[in-house]
Amino acid sequence: MASRLRRGLLAALLTTSVALPVSAAARPSAVPAPAPARLAPLTPATAAPGPLDARYAVNRDSLRAAARMAADHGDRRRAASLRAMAHPERRFLHFDGRDGGRTAEVVGDLARADRVAVLVPGADTGLDTYGRFHAGAVALQRELGDRAAVVAWLGYETPRTLGPEALTDGRAGDAGPRLAAFVRELARAKPAARISLLCHSYGSVVCADAAPGLPLADIVLYGSPGTGRTGTARQLGTTATVWAGRGAADWIADVPHVRFRIPLLATVGFGTDPVSPEFGARPFDAGPGGHSDYLGPGSVPLRNIARIVSGEVPDA
């Protein structure tokens, strides 16, 4: 009976999401932006201080150009967000404002960092909501200290929480190879650095798709609905230590942890709960907070995630 109820809930959610009208407002991807600058791959040479500064300057110019185009298009919110991202102290490894936006922003000194955390966001993260993603990266880097860098990787079109994409791993299937390519490039550029992948909410599904064979120390799943096709930590195909935590007030705990196919529609759900013993991840204390509280300054999960990135043992 419980299984039928869970399946019925997910089917209803999917049906409702598919039925939601999407023509009433322009999609974020409709805002025009210039083609991205052509940049050399990251290597030990191009990840040195001088070349990185030049790279950041090129992307800053691209951000300013995109802000002007957004303003000319009449999208004041997008223009304001892009102008904030183009601040002289911000550092972007990649920026492409087209099709909703793709970015990789560095917080900290990547050239000198011996620990690098790559943040992968969940649903409803984009150029128009980028401020909260950036704030989490800043809080984590401050917790880690000067010898660490955080890369906020927005390399895919995230699903809407109330859209059908948030119930399937379709977006993750597109994003996973891009994330894997980025992490491999970063590892080649920083061969001595300890690299960790931090995966929030739907970002956990993206990380699971990217994980096999990546040169990582840790994979941290927090606020996770599951990992989709991989139902256990062992099935991720990684030598990294896999961690999982969930805040006591996180609504994601109430999402049914099932995975099944609805004929003619999609495979729905993300399977085993990552904080369950069956999944096999190492647990860490994620505190009393909710779904958006994991990287809050001074919080329990921020402290424990920083410990993991640093190679230390978190509170369980």
Side-chain angles (χ1 to χ4, degrees):
M1 176 64 74
S3 177
R4 287 199 298 271
L5 287 173
R6 292 190 185 98
R7 289 172 181 248
L9 174 60
L10 281 175
L13 285 171
L14 181 62
T15 302
T16 301
S17 298
V18 170
L20 287 174
V22 296
S23 59
R27 291 179 56 80
S29 58
V31 182
R38 292 192 175 186
L39 298 167
L42 289 175
T43 65
T46 61
L52 277 179
D53 287 342
R55 186 186 193 100
Y56 299 149
V58 168
N59 284 319
R60 198 172 296 123
D61 288 342
S62 295
L63 280 155
R64 290 170 179 150
R68 290 191 295 270
M69 290 184 71
D72 291 343
H73 185 70
D75 194 322
R76 295 181 179 179
R77 182 183 184 190
R78 174 67 59 84
S81 179
L82 292 169
R83 283 194 293 268
M85 294 165 73
H87 188 279
E89 294 183 359
R90 303 282 289 271
R91 302 167 175 176
F92 283 84
L93 290 173
H94 301 289
F95 172 74
D96 183 352
R98 303 172 301 173
D99 191 29
R102 308 286 186 271
T103 69
E105 181 179 11
V106 174
V107 180
D109 188 345
L110 182 61
R112 296 179 175 85
D114 55 21
R115 293 159 292 150
V116 181
V118 179
L119 293 184
V120 182
D124 297 324
T125 305
L127 295 182
D128 296 334
T129 59
Y130 190 83
R132 66 189 184 193
F133 186 39
H134 174 252
V138 169
L140 178 60
Q141 196 281 327
R142 287 175 176 169
E143 186 74 20
L144 286 165
D146 292 340
R147 295 298 300 274
V150 176
V151 180
W153 184 85
L154 179 59
Y156 76 114
E157 183 181 2
T158 66
R160 294 170 297 154
T161 297
L162 297 179
E165 302 92 348
L167 300 175
T168 75
D169 54 13
R171 292 284 173 88
D174 293 336
R178 296 176 192 153
L179 176 59
F182 175 76
V183 171
R184 290 192 180 98
E185 182 181 2
L186 182 63
R188 287 192 295 268
K190 301 285 297 179
R194 177 187 177 90
I195 301 176
S196 300
L197 201 54
L198 311 184
C199 319
H200 178 235
S201 194
Y202 189 89
S204 302
V205 192
V206 177
C207 290
D209 194 276
L214 288 184
L216 295 167
D218 299 281
I219 297 174
V220 185
L221 311 175
Y222 53 102
S224 173
T227 53
R229 291 187 293 272
T230 54
T232 66
R234 179 175 295 181
Q235 291 173 357
L236 291 176
T238 179
T239 58
T241 303
V242 181
W243 302 83
R246 184 168 64 220
D250 191 340
W251 57 261
I252 206 77
D254 297 322
V255 171
H257 294 287
V258 296
R259 181 173 171 82
F260 61 94
R261 180 162 184 79
I262 298 177
L264 304 180
L265 287 176
T267 299
V268 180
F270 303 112
T272 312
D273 185 349
V275 301
S276 69
E278 293 78 14
F279 187 82
R282 295 185 65 177
F284 69 92
D285 184 1
H291 194 64
S292 300
D293 299 333
Y294 291 94
L295 299 182
S299 68
V300 170
L302 178 70
R303 182 178 68 245
N304 279 328
I305 289 171
R307 286 177 176 173
I308 293 170
V309 172
S310 298
E312 301 171 3
V313 178
D315 295 332

